[in-house]
Amino acid sequence: LYIDFLVPFLMINKSNISQIIEFRESIEISATHYAAVRADENDLKTIREKLLACDANQNDTLSYPTYDLEFHSAIAAASKNDLLIQSLNVIKRYCFDAISDYFNEELAKEGADYHHEIYNALEKHDPVAATHFMSEHMRNILKRVSDE
């Protein structure tokens, strides 16, 4: 998959983090929609494991971003759409440091609440609810980043 054309745009600094979040939002919402439709029991098991890892590391702001991105990557994998999966991988690979900078315990707690809502919707195969909660989750992050 050739999406290297995105790399120069994604190797951006903290001042452009809002653009990363906006780009990520569009990918995450689509991935979540298709995951709600396509996820099988193995996918749901993996997503749940990543959710529990997020919960267990909620107070560790240094390691939490890794678990958070693993949760989101598991959702992308459940979408079974290679372009969405690879797009999120590019974000992880090239934007991890910038994304990690905005994490704090409060945002991790709010994220955990959204993660549980998203997981519950995925488990029910409800794409409307799943995408609603993912959109709210991404917009909450974007608002917090924009407020800083």
Side-chain angles (χ1 to χ4, degrees):
L1 183 62
Y2 296 97
I3 53 177
D4 289 338
F5 70 92
L6 289 174
V7 172
F9 297 104
L10 293 174
M11 303 216 29
I12 54 184
N13 59 36
K14 204 172 180 180
S15 66
N16 295 35
I17 189 73
S18 295
Q19 291 180 18
I20 296 172
I21 303 300
E22 289 170 359
F23 178 64
R24 182 178 166 192
E25 178 185 17
S26 64
I27 292 165
E28 296 267 13
I29 290 170
S30 293
T32 301
H33 170 85
Y34 290 111
V37 172
R38 298 174 179 158
D40 59 29
E41 288 304 314
N42 287 332
D43 294 322
L44 292 171
K45 180 181 179 226
T46 300
I47 295 167
R48 179 153 181 77
E49 289 169 357
K50 303 302 181 186
L51 174 65
L52 295 175
C54 283
D55 289 348
N57 290 279
Q58 211 175 84
N59 296 324
D60 183 351
T61 57
L62 293 177
S63 64
Y64 183 84
T66 299
Y67 294 106
D68 177 72
L69 284 174
E70 287 178 3
F71 172 78
H72 288 272
S73 294
I75 293 172
S79 77
K80 300 181 178 24
N81 180 306
D82 290 336
L83 189 55
L84 293 172
I85 294 164
Q86 291 305 318
S87 294
L88 191 58
N89 285 340
V90 167
I91 291 171
K92 278 175 35 180
R93 182 173 176 194
Y94 294 103
C95 305
F96 182 79
D97 290 339
I99 290 171
S100 297
D101 285 344
Y102 65 78
F103 273 98
N104 59 41
E105 285 185 36
E106 186 178 346
L107 190 58
K109 168 68 175 108
E110 291 172 358
D113 293 340
Y114 284 115
H115 288 175
H116 281 272
E117 295 291 351
I118 293 163
Y119 177 78
N120 291 337
L122 292 173
E123 193 174 42
K124 294 174 186 170
H125 297 281
D126 182 349
V128 173
T131 57
H132 166 77
F133 289 115
M134 182 60 79
S135 178
E136 291 292 316
H137 181 32
M138 290 293 115
R139 288 173 193 255
N140 183 55
I141 294 170
L142 185 58
K143 181 182 181 312
R144 287 186 165 277
V145 168
S146 298
D147 288 347
E148 289 184 4

